[in-house]
Amino acid sequence: MLRFDHEFLPQRVCLASGQAPLILAREVERLGGTRVMVIASPSELKRADRVTADLPVMYHHRDVVMHVPVELAERARAAATEHRVNLLVSVGGGSATGLAKAVALTSGLPIVAVPTTYAGSEATTMWGLTHGNRKTTGVDARVLPRAVVYDAELTLSLPVALSVASGLNALAHGVDSMWGPRADTLDQMMAQEGIRALTAALPDIVSDPMNLTARERALYGAYVSAAAFCSAGSGLHHKICHVLGGAYNLPHAQTHAIMLPYVLAFNGNAAPEAEARIAAALASTSALEGLQELRSRLGVPCALGDYGFNERDIGDAVDRILPVLPAGNPRPINADDLRRLLTAAWQGADPRTIMDDSTKGTENKS
């Protein structure tokens, strides 16, 4: 029997290329924002100033760092209090959105997010903070942006390599949504659509980075995938990547792009219905083959070792990941399995090397 309890996000999502300043001003006014704090990294300074020019900005916060260190979150919270802001606007990728979430987590201030990558954080109730080399994540309705303003023109200057890594991070939200701890039929339907949209968009971005239609499709796919992920919850892929990012300061998008085929290879045959959905979204008869074909077309990062992850850290990483493994993963996983996954990802080895021995031979080489 088909049964589920599904809660949709209380969020307004606006997509209109070239219209970010106008729509942002409208949404800030709708939410009663009269004292705005803008959160954007120095690299986003020009775009942030342009899209927020018509807002009642009290303070610009530029201290944005990947994985949201706790001490930076505390400084941003203190600034929001000092300037008596009543609304937060984040402009940028997942780091800017994540810092805004850290402020909202303790203050309850509403957020309007203006993404410039395909990170997807703007569509979830999930937050993350890093203390030392340990990343803590959680779920809280207060951190969900009340409005999201998508403008594909803001992504045109995103370098192709980062567009690809960010896009595969978004695609990973869709894959993990197929078997997350709270996954239901609606999550899987949205995830499949998100994967399909990203699969169509990313090769067009690689061939023509100024293709605005492809950039719009990628933003759409990233949102749909992230919304599914918010409902389904963090699966094995994200649990691994959150630990790796926080503990070893690995780049967020690239880590997700590298780990994805290994987790898909590990879980795919144990979840045949989900695997079939992923394969269909990738326009392939096999989810892993379809993903590897897409990755080949995109020219993606392949090895964690290329981004600063050391072989000697694999054992430590296994110990860190074991306590946070998600409930109900399609295939049981133990320390030896994790070690094989991480070793393969560190090397950039063929993902089929970590498949179940009984099914490994059924996959064709790609």
Side-chain angles (χ1 to χ4, degrees), residues 329-346:
N329 191 62
R331 179 178 165 190
I333 184 165
N334 57 34
D336 288 339
D337 294 325
L338 280 175
R339 192 169 292 107
R340 286 194 299 127
L341 275 168
L342 293 177
T343 300
W346 167 73

Side-chain angles (χ1 to χ4, degrees), residues 224-274:
V224 175
S225 296
F229 175 70
C230 180
S231 174
S234 291
L236 177 62
H237 172 86
H238 279 79
K239 292 299 186 181
I240 292 173
C241 291
H242 287 163
V243 169
L244 294 178
Y248 312 105
N249 199 35
L250 301 183
H252 181 83
Q254 289 85 349
T255 301
H256 282 268
I258 291 167
M259 283 303 311
L260 181 57
Y262 299 100
V263 177
L264 179 57
F266 185 84
N267 274 348
N269 286 301
E273 291 185 9

Side-chain angles (χ1 to χ4, degrees), residues 10 50 55 95 126 151 178 197 208 214 216 270 299 301:
R50 179 167 63 83
L55 304 184
S95 297
M126 299 168 187
D151 183 339
M178 293 291 183
D208 179 10
E216 288 175 342

Side-chain angles (χ1 to χ4, degrees), residues 116-131:
T116 61
T117 71
Y118 311 117
S121 177
E122 67 279 357
T124 79
T125 57
M126 299 168 187
W127 56 267
L129 291 169
T130 303
H131 189 282

Side-chain angles (χ1 to χ4, degrees), residues 122-173:
E122 67 279 357
T124 79
T125 57
M126 299 168 187
W127 56 267
L129 291 169
T130 303
H131 189 282
N133 61 357
R134 186 171 298 275
K135 187 169 185 177
T136 301
T137 61
V139 174
D140 195 300
R142 289 176 296 180
V143 308
L144 178 72
R146 298 281 296 278
V148 182
V149 179
Y150 287 120
D151 183 339
E153 287 189 359
L154 300 179
T155 69
L156 290 174
S157 61
L158 190 66
V160 168
L162 188 52
S163 296
V164 167
S166 183
L168 287 173
N169 175 27
L171 197 146
H173 287 137

Side-chain angles (χ1 to χ4, degrees), residues 162-202:
L162 188 52
S163 296
V164 167
S166 183
L168 287 173
N169 175 27
L171 197 146
H173 287 137
V175 171
D176 239 10
S177 299
M178 293 291 183
W179 43 56
R182 301 186 304 275
D184 61 37
T185 301
L186 292 178
D187 297 326
Q188 293 178 332
M189 175 191 69
M190 291 190 295
Q192 185 171 353
E193 171 62 7
I195 295 169
R196 185 206 61 77
L198 288 160
T199 300
L202 293 176

